[in-house]
């Protein structure tokens, strides 16, 4: 047979290519497709939305009813916590709840406005995929992206499945947390390629560690959980949470610590009140006047007994009946329990962090559209320097930023 020279077929052309099929990318692709755009969604992982799958203990805390779009700084942090106001107010928790209801996914409220699926996070992944199908989205995975070029005509990508072109490009590749399920620094590299600044990323919603910092006496408390008041920061910027604390072998975890970790800065202390509901000085003074029990036993009425035992262990002044204790020893004990200042040595890092703080600098993005200074290049979800509290805030940011981006692209292309 005659061997004719072949010219390679021209690259496929899409209106938009979304890189990253996580929460933000899947949602954005589905909305954009349903608004009439020809969408390609690419992910290097075999499975989509791995973080949705493991979120909320496998049930996905998919949004939070307490989000106040007019005051986003209450629940979101970043160099400009007001950046997310526009997107959050144009696609609200109520909008996403309506979508969940249309897909007949049962859910419930657990704690402080947090909404969870009744069955499994898989319900939400199926919903996002169904929305993509409804939008006629083409999905390529696993598929790596090797290079991105920009010209007047738009974007050209070299991928494991060949070269593709599009008018718009959306980066939805998330942050650095949990690398073993596919997290990469891809988004930050693309930002840098196109001169879009990035705020130094750091692990957030992450356990804090106290290695070699006098932690040994507390390591025995590993597994103990109790409600605390936790705070960090200078007076003006102090952040406070009342949540559960969990002692671990290497330090502290639990919702209280995950929340405060997003605000904590290396080298600074955190302060804990281990009995936030008790008036410790008054309770101990009363005990001294009326009881002959050991201090540890009196304390065990105010805090868990394991904690009470550990607290008096290293101090002979406290290993005696409460009526024999000096006023000063009891006052010091009350202060140490209600104002326990400790300085973490670090965090458990990206392998345990639920999110990455920092990311693509919001000063280089439009808060209306998520488009960057680089025309036609958009960033959505966790890759952006917007970090939510624990409790469904990060998913709502993924939905709202994805929605704003999809709408803007559809308007620009119409
Ligand atoms: C254990 C855990 C539990 C959580 N629980 C909750 C919760 O209950 N509620 C809540 O609001 N938030 C929760 N979060 C946070 C939430 O999962 C994230 O904020 C959210 O998934 C961010 O969405 P995203 O689409 O921006 O990024 P991701 O969901 O991380 O998606 C990014 C996608 O990009 C892909 N990708 C990465 N690099 C590349 C590359 N180089 N090429 C191609 N594709 C790439 C990844 O494979 C992934 O599919 C949890 C996080 C963790 C780790």
């Amino acid at each position: 047979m005659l061997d004719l020279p072949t010219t390679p077929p021209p690259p496929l052309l899409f209106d938009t290519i979304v890189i990253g099929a996580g929460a933000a990318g899947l949602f954005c692709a589905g909305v954009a497709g349903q608004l009439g755009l020809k969408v390609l969604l690419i992910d290097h992982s075999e499975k989509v939305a791995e973080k949705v799958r493991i979120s909320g203990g496998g049930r996905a805390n998919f949004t939070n009813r307490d989000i106040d779009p007019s005051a986003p700084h209450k629940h979101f942090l970043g160099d400009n916590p007001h950046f997310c106001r526009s997107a959050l107010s144009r696609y609200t928790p109520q909008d996403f709840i309506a979508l969940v209801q249309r897909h007949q996914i049962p859910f419930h409220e657990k704690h402080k406005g947090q909404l969870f699926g009744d069955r499994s996070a898989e319900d939400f992944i199926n919903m996002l995929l169904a929305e993509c199908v409804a939008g006629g989205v083409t999905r390529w995975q696993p598929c790596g992206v090797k290079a991105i070029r920009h010209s007047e005509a738009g974007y050209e990508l070299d991928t494991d499945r060949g070269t593709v072109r599009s008018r718009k490009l959306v980066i939805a590749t998330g942050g650095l947390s949990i690398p073993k399920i596919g997290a990469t620094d891809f988004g930050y590299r693309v930002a840098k390629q196109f001169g879009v600044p990035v705020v130094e990323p750091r692990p957030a919603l992450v356990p804090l560690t106290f290695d070699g910092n006098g932690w040994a006496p507390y390591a025995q408390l590993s597994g103990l959980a109790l409600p605390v008041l936790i705070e960090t920061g200078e007076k003006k910027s102090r952040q406070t949470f009342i949540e559960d604390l969990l002692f671990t072998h290497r330090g502290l975890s639990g919702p209280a610590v995950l929340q405060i970790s997003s605000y904590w800065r290396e080298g600074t202390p955190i302060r804990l009140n281990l009995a936030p509901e008790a008036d410790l000085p008054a309770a101990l003074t009363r005990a001294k006047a009326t009881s002959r029990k050991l201090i540890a036993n009196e304390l065990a009425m105010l805090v868990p007994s394991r904690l009470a035992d550990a607290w008096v262990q290293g101090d002979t002044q406290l290993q005696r009946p409460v009526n024999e204790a000096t006023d000063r020893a009891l006052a010091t004990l009350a202060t140490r329990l209600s104002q326990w200042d400790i300085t973490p040595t670090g965090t458990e890092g990206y392998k345990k962090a639920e999110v990455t703080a920092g990311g693509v600098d919001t000063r280089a993005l439009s808060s209306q559209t998520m488009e960057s200074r680089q025309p036609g290049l958009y960033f959505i979800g966790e890759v952006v320097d917007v970090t939510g509290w624990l409790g469904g805030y990060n998913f709502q940011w993924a939905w709202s930023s994805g929605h704003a981006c999809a709408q803007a692209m559809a308007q620009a292309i119409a």
Side-chain angles (χ1 to χ4, degrees):
M1 208 168 65
L2 197 61
D3 210 6
L4 289 172
T6 55
T7 35
L12 286 167
L13 178 62
F14 290 87
D15 290 324
T16 186
I17 299 175
V18 180
I19 308 180
L26 275 168
F27 188 61
C28 176
V31 175
Q34 290 176 44
L35 289 171
L37 300 190
K38 190 176 173 206
V39 184
L40 172 63
L41 177 61
I42 298 179
D43 200 294
H44 68 160
S45 294
E46 203 138 340
K47 287 186 178 168
V48 293
E50 279 296 78
K51 279 198 193 153
V52 177
R53 204 179 310 280
I54 61 169
S55 67
R59 297 231 166 128
N61 177 192
F62 61 91
T63 191
N64 193 301
R65 279 196 209 276
D66 292 347
I67 288 177
D68 178 357
S70 65
H73 61 286
K74 282 192 202 159
H75 300 115
F76 292 88
L77 55 150
D79 272 9
N80 175 11
H82 294 279
F83 174 81
C84 47
R85 175 177 298 155
S86 169
L88 287 173
S89 52
R90 283 182 296 133
Y91 191 82
T92 65
Q94 215 43 55
D95 291 320
F96 194 76
I97 292 167
L99 179 68
V100 167
Q101 285 168 331
R102 275 204 300 283
H103 283 261
Q104 299 182 337
I105 299 175
F107 65 90
H108 60 278
E109 183 169 335
K110 212 169 171 181
H111 168 67
K112 299 188 175 176
Q114 301 167 2
L115 301 187
F116 285 76
D118 288 354
R119 294 183 305 225
S120 149
E122 209 70 46
D123 281 346
F124 298 92
I125 299 176
N126 291 337
M127 176 186 88
L128 293 167
L129 288 171
E131 290 291 309
C132 282
V133 170
V137 174
T138 304
R139 278 200 290 125
W140 286 1
Q141 53 185 126
C143 176
V145 176
K146 294 182 244 174
I148 301 174
R149 290 176 293 279
H150 178 249
S151 69
E152 295 258 301
Y155 290 87
E156 190 166 87
L157 277 61
D158 294 336
T159 79
D160 294 344
R161 302 196 190 182
T163 300
V164 273
R165 289 187 6 232
S166 63
R167 294 167 69 184
K168 309 280 186 195
L169 180 61
V170 182
I171 306 299
T173 45
L176 298 171
S177 31
I178 326 278
K180 75 168 191 272
I181 56 166
T184 71
D185 64 351
F186 183 88
Y188 311 135
R189 280 190 278 123
V190 174
K192 281 176 190 154
Q193 178 186 343
F194 290 102
V196 176
V198 172
V199 175
E200 187 64 24
R202 61 177 204 283
L205 298 181
V206 62
L208 297 173
T209 54
F210 295 83
D211 304 317
N213 206 13
W215 191 250
Y218 307 108
Q220 61 177 310
L221 292 174
S222 175
L224 176 69
L226 71 160
V228 299
L229 184 150
I230 192 167
E231 40 187 2
T232 195
E234 296 299 320
K235 230 180 186 171
K236 251 171 103 187
S237 58
R238 183 158 301 163
Q239 195 65 41
T240 304
F241 293 95
I242 298 179
E243 286 282 2
D244 280 354
L245 171 82
L246 175 70
F247 282 85
T248 69
H249 282 294
R250 298 188 57 206
L252 296 173
S253 185
V257 168
L258 298 188
Q259 295 282 38
I260 213 75
S261 72
S262 300
Y263 293 90
W264 174 74
R265 293 306 174 125
E266 245 177 85
T268 64
I270 56 170
R271 173 170 284 189
L272 286 147
N273 181 346
L274 297 170
E277 276 161 21
D279 180 349
L280 282 172
L284 290 173
T285 307
R286 204 175 320 114
K288 180 174 170 171
T290 57
S291 164
R292 291 176 179 196
K293 284 190 199 158
L294 287 172
I295 293 174
N297 293 348
E298 281 298 332
L299 208 51
M301 315 238 243
L302 305 165
V303 297
S305 56
R306 274 176 75 192
L307 179 66
D309 290 341
W311 222 256
V312 301
Q313 237 171 42
D315 189 342
T316 48
Q317 292 278 326
L318 300 175
Q319 291 163 16
R320 60 183 63 185
V322 66
N323 59 323
E324 292 174 18
T326 64
D327 289 347
R328 191 161 170 193
L330 292 183
T332 308
L333 173 64
T335 305
R336 275 199 60 219
L337 275 166
S338 59
Q339 294 174 32
W340 186 30
D341 288 331
I342 37 172
T343 302
T345 48
T347 76
E348 290 284 2
Y350 290 116
K351 70 178 191 304
K352 293 265 175 75
E354 284 206 6
V355 291
T356 302
V360 174
D361 195 329
T362 53
R363 280 167 285 237
L365 301 182
S366 154
S367 64
Q368 310 283 314
T369 65
M370 305 299 134
E371 188 172 12
S372 69
R373 276 182 200 157
Q374 160 72 29
L377 178 63
Y378 299 72
F379 293 87
I380 57 171
E382 198 179 310
V383 72
V384 178
D385 176 28
V386 170
T387 304
W389 282 12
L390 188 76
Y393 296 94
N394 287 296
F395 277 146
Q396 186 59 44
W397 169 243
W399 319 135
S400 297
S401 58
H403 194 268
C405 172
Q407 278 205 319
M409 291 189 298
Q411 273 162 18
I413 285 175

